[in-house]
Amino acid sequence: MTSLKDQQVLIVGGGIGGLTAALALARHGIPSQVIEQAAAFKEIGAGIQLGPNVFRMFERLGLIEPISALAVFPENLIMFDSITGEEVTRIPLDEAFRRKFYYPYALIHRADLHNVLLEQCRQSNLIRLDAAQKIADVKEMNGGITAKTASSKDYRGAALIGADGLWSTIRELVVGDGKPKPAGHIAYRAVLPTSEIPEQYRRRDMALWAGEKVHFVLYPLRTGELYNLVAVFHSNRYEEGWDSFGDPAELQERFAKTCAPVRVLLAKIESWRMWVLCDRPPVKDWSRGRVTLLGDAAHPMLQYLAQGACMAVEDAVCLADQAAAANGDYAAAFRAYQQARYLRTGRVQIMARIYGEFYHAGGVAKELRNIMLGSRTPDDAMAGMEWLYGEQTELMRGALPAKPRSAASS
Ligand SMILES: Cc1cc2nc3c(=O)[nH]c(=O)nc-3n(C[C@H](O)[C@H](O)[C@H](O)COP(=O)(O)OP(=O)(O)OC[C@H]3O[C@@H](n4cnc5c(N)ncnc54)[C@H](O)[C@@H]3O)c2cc1C
């Protein structure tokens, strides 16, 4: 058995999940080597929503303050009907929300979140960061792990975490279930300076216009300097893809029947980035010996609950706790970690698909959706989110402070 603090853990992928795993391990005194294929450690320019559940993890990692300094704390989550423009439902993110879930709901630029994590990693003498190295193969031998890059550079460690995202190489070695499944939904994303958003549409809310086979999201970023725009529509035209340029003409056509705010805002964007949305059905076993997966590599999900990155951060905290408890027995730690996580992450994967159906409903389903959501009180809505934002899981026990934290109350 390896002594816990002598040998590094290899982390493949320096996204939000990989960097958080390195920080969470370092808090237990466990060294790690993060290996990133891109030429530099960085995130793409778009927004991300952070539920109260991830702030509970940030508290554990001492990250609430730097993240809160860069985030926007919206006043409401609002859903509008994309054709009529009428409000369907809203969840106020007020004191009652914070009393219930102890932490706020926030909006942040991905690059800002990633930078906070990266800076913290750079300040730790337990974390080593290597960019421009793509891991192609992994071998477990003599009680350790060797990870080989495409150019035959070797990394050695006591264990390995595949935090290499949706198109994970490590998953192929561990689970071997082929490519992720395209949902038939395309997301176009853009970020605009606030000055380009007509004044009547500027709001400190996370606003979503739901329509048949389309939806549109608008929210402020970077203390209100920017707005994040996301347009999603159904299309089977694309098999797979990631972060390529979108076609504004296609977007205008898909959203032609939507109400003025949506059409006006879409017309403001000249350059969109496009994502072909994919997920996988949940699995319960994503570890083999001293190799495990985390974040999108383990449980890729559609973005409709805005939880993929939040789940990756929860994974990281749970995994590091289990690694510390197992004291060098990484195979046991990884079994315990996936046991603690697979039902929760599987539920989010499944519910995200259902929320996607809900947002894109037409006909009778849409009428029912609007009636059901429209008749909810804020208390009903919060009760419906308890499973996700509340503190009922094993992972979160012991991490719950008695009161909402002032650092997160800006
Ligand atoms: C449109 C959209 C909106 C979203 N909105 C939200 C939201 O509001 N809230 C939320 O919580 N989540 C959201 N998500 C989900 C979130 O983006 C992902 O779940 C999250 O980024 C996953 O993080 P990760 O670290 O697991 O993977 P990634 O961010 O994909 O990072 C993986 C890293 O591994 C590297 N890598 C890959 N292969 C190798 C290799 N072989 N060797 C070395 N490095 C490698 C990659 O270059 C990358 O840097 C959204 C997703 C989409 C598509």
Side-chain angles (χ1 to χ4, degrees):
M1 218 162 60
T2 331
S3 158
L4 179 66
K5 302 194 174 166
D6 296 344
Q7 273 203 54
Q8 64 182 2
V9 171
L10 304 178
I11 300 173
V12 180
I16 291 167
L19 295 183
T20 311
L23 292 173
L25 288 169
R27 286 184 89 82
H28 288 290
I30 303 173
S32 64
Q33 164 77 65
V34 186
I35 309 153
E36 167 58 44
Q37 68 178 2
F41 283 83
K42 66 174 185 173
E43 259 283 347
I44 50 99
I48 196 164
Q49 303 176 52
L50 300 172
N53 54 312
V54 78
F55 274 92
R56 200 169 276 122
M57 301 300 109
F58 292 152
E59 174 96 60
R60 291 277 311 274
L61 298 168
L63 293 176
I64 290 219
E65 246 173 88
I67 288 170
S68 298
L70 298 167
V72 170
F73 295 92
E75 289 166 8
N76 301 284
L77 304 176
I78 307 185
M79 183 196 274
F80 299 98
D81 185 302
S82 78
I83 308 292
T84 64
E86 281 165 14
E87 183 172 319
V88 175
T89 185
R90 77 167 56 201
I91 305 176
L93 302 170
D94 54 6
E95 273 313 301
F97 184 90
R98 290 196 190 193
R99 262 198 313 280
K100 183 156 180 73
F101 297 122
Y102 292 89
Y103 292 94
Y105 198 98
L107 310 167
I108 193 165
H109 200 294
R110 277 164 183 269
D112 292 345
L113 173 59
H114 192 261
N115 274 340
V116 169
L117 300 172
L118 190 58
E119 272 316 302
Q120 299 275 330
C121 285
R122 286 187 173 135
Q123 283 166 28
S124 169
N125 56 13
L126 291 172
I127 300 172
R128 295 201 294 181
L129 301 163
D130 260 10
Q133 301 295 340
K134 181 178 168 69
I135 296 300
D137 199 15
V138 171
K139 293 262 177 309
E140 180 167 358
M141 57 175 91
N142 307 327
I145 294 288
T146 303
K148 213 181 237 334
T149 67
S151 55
S152 292
K153 181 175 161 113
D154 281 348
Y155 290 90
R156 288 198 49 81
L160 182 141
I161 300 166
D164 51 344
L166 181 65
W167 304 97
S168 170
T169 303
I170 310 303
R171 184 182 180 107
E172 201 43 35
L173 301 173
V174 172
V175 185
D177 55 354
K179 290 180 177 176
K181 183 174 173 292
H185 302 183
I186 311 295
Y188 278 41
R189 291 156 126 184
V191 174
L192 281 184
T194 295
S195 56
E196 292 186 29
I197 303 289
E199 239 167 274
Q200 70 267 36
Y201 303 138
R202 294 181 201 167
R203 47 194 321 150
R204 207 182 161 87
D205 296 316
M206 200 299 296
L208 183 150
W209 284 261
E212 190 169 349
K213 298 188 177 165
V214 296
H215 82 269
F216 176 69
V217 171
L218 177 75
Y219 57 78
L221 289 176
R222 210 169 267 169
T223 59
E225 277 169 45
L226 302 172
Y227 270 81
N228 189 60
L229 296 86
V230 187
V232 178
F233 57 89
H234 288 208
S235 172
N236 286 318
R237 206 145 71 79
Y238 310 92
E239 277 297 293
E240 62 185 59
W242 186 252
D243 192 13
S244 47
F245 285 98
D247 170 6
E250 178 174 28
L251 199 60
Q252 303 297 342
E253 184 200 318
R254 301 277 175 171
F255 285 81
K257 291 191 188 138
T258 56
C259 59
V262 177
R263 279 183 292 107
V264 170
L265 288 163
L266 289 179
K268 292 271 165 205
I269 317 272
E270 281 161 18
S271 169
W272 292 89
R273 308 291 287 185
M274 183 194 86
W275 275 258
V276 176
L277 301 172
C278 298
D279 72 350
R280 292 178 187 273
V283 295
K284 67 188 291 181
D285 187 1
W286 62 63
S287 306
R288 192 194 298 159
R290 291 162 169 267
V291 180
T292 195
L293 305 175
L294 174 152
D296 277 5
H299 42 67
M301 53 188 64
L302 299 178
Q303 83 290 6
Y304 298 117
L305 277 173
Q307 279 287 326
C310 299
M311 287 295 122
V313 171
E314 284 190 2
D315 283 351
V317 172
C318 177
L319 186 152
D321 285 353
Q322 296 298 343
N327 197 28
D329 184 350
Y330 281 102
F334 292 167
R335 280 195 304 275
Y337 148 71
Q338 71 180 23
Q339 185 62 26
R341 294 294 296 154
Y342 80 93
L343 284 175
R344 176 162 172 80
T345 53
R347 185 169 179 182
V348 182
Q349 284 173 288
I350 291 165
M351 290 307 292
R353 286 184 180 179
I354 293 171
Y355 268 64
E357 295 296 319
F358 224 47
Y359 292 155
H360 296 165
V364 175
K366 170 185 145 166
E367 273 188 57
L368 279 168
R369 176 197 69 200
N370 289 1
I371 292 167
M372 282 162 61
L373 294 183
S375 59
R376 285 184 322 179
T377 64
D379 280 347
D380 294 338
M382 285 194 291
M385 300 315 287
E386 176 78 46
W387 69 274
L388 185 56
Y389 300 152
E391 50 89 40
Q392 77 282 21
T393 66
E394 193 61 39
L395 164 68
M396 292 171 180
R397 250 175 235 143
L400 184 71
K403 284 192 274 169
R405 296 291 158 138
S406 55
S409 62
S410 55

